[in-house]
Amino acid sequence: MAQRSPKTTPAPAVAANAEPPRVGETLAALRQAQALSLDALSRKAGVSKSMLSQIERAQANPTVAVVWRLANALGVPLGDLLGTAPPPAEPAITVVPAHATPSLRNPDGACELRILGPIELAGQFEWYALSLQAGGALESQAHEAGTREHLTVLTGAVEVVSGDERQRLKPGETARYAVDRPHAIRNLGKGEATAWLVVVHAG
């Protein structure tokens, strides 16, 4: 009597053009939707900041264990990170925590610019919180033709320089001036000066 070969179940076919889940893109979108910095998510998930950065830039493939940690830290189902669920809707209100607001400092530490505008508007419309210590200055080269700055002084005595012109400002005053020439903002007082700075680039 002839023996029959055991029945085998064929493996499911995989499309030739199938791509792995884009975990990095989804992770970055979820993290930004929750206004989490890489540091904050690193602490919540127990995954190193360097590993998170590599995952988001598609330079590393996370293990299932790492994806599970990230999903728990973000409070989303595992499938959301693997791309099996639709991305979350853009929230009506996005809050950026104070510790996640980027800032720029002069080497001497006498000038700090906190970047309040979103990165996607850079080069079009930018706004900053400016702090100048006594004797501190923000000095800049010329921007593209037609660009203007709008400076509102909150505290202290500030001088604005645009080319060969200069103007002293008191708290509550606003200066609007061309910055397609060398320009500067200087603290003339003995204490800290603070201001809002808006840059409108030529369209």
Side-chain angles (χ1 to χ4, degrees):
M1 196 171 169
Q3 288 186 335
R4 292 185 180 179
S5 300
K7 261 190 175 180
T8 58
T9 303
V14 178
N17 61 351
E19 294 183 0
R22 296 184 176 182
V23 177
E25 291 180 11
T26 309
L27 173 61
L30 288 167
R31 178 176 65 79
Q32 291 166 11
Q34 297 186 25
L36 287 172
S37 65
L38 284 172
D39 279 329
L41 181 56
S42 173
R43 290 192 296 270
K44 288 185 69 174
V47 177
S48 72
K49 180 180 173 182
S50 61
M51 173 59 74
L52 289 177
S53 178
Q54 289 176 3
I55 293 171
E56 289 194 359
R57 289 179 291 158
Q59 294 179 346
N61 292 319
T63 64
V64 173
V66 168
V67 175
W68 180 82
R69 286 185 187 180
L70 293 172
N72 280 339
L74 291 165
V76 299
L78 189 66
D80 283 15
L81 272 180
L82 294 174
T84 56
E90 186 74 20
I93 299 176
T94 300
V95 177
V96 180
H99 69 267
T101 302
S103 62
L104 302 171
R105 284 179 177 269
N106 279 4
D108 61 6
C111 171
E112 180 184 19
L113 274 176
R114 295 184 67 236
I115 305 171
L116 304 180
I119 189 66
E120 60 266 22
L121 291 182
Q124 304 173 51
F125 184 84
E126 304 160 19
W127 63 100
Y128 306 89
L130 171 64
S131 300
L132 293 171
Q133 301 305 316
L138 175 63
E139 299 185 347
S140 308
Q141 296 301 311
H143 297 312
E144 64 270 24
T147 302
R148 296 182 68 81
E149 286 185 356
H150 306 259
L151 180 78
T152 300
V153 177
L154 303 176
T155 62
V158 171
E159 180 184 64
V160 171
V161 179
S162 175
D164 296 329
E165 299 181 32
R166 61 188 63 229
Q167 179 66 52
R168 183 165 179 161
L169 300 175
K170 298 179 295 186
E173 293 184 328
T174 297
R176 312 186 195 282
Y177 49 97
V179 291
D180 51 5
R181 63 199 70 177
H183 53 286
I185 303 168
R186 299 192 177 108
N187 181 0
L188 302 180
K190 296 181 179 179
E192 182 186 39
T194 59
W196 300 123
L197 175 63
V198 174
V199 184
V200 182
H201 293 264

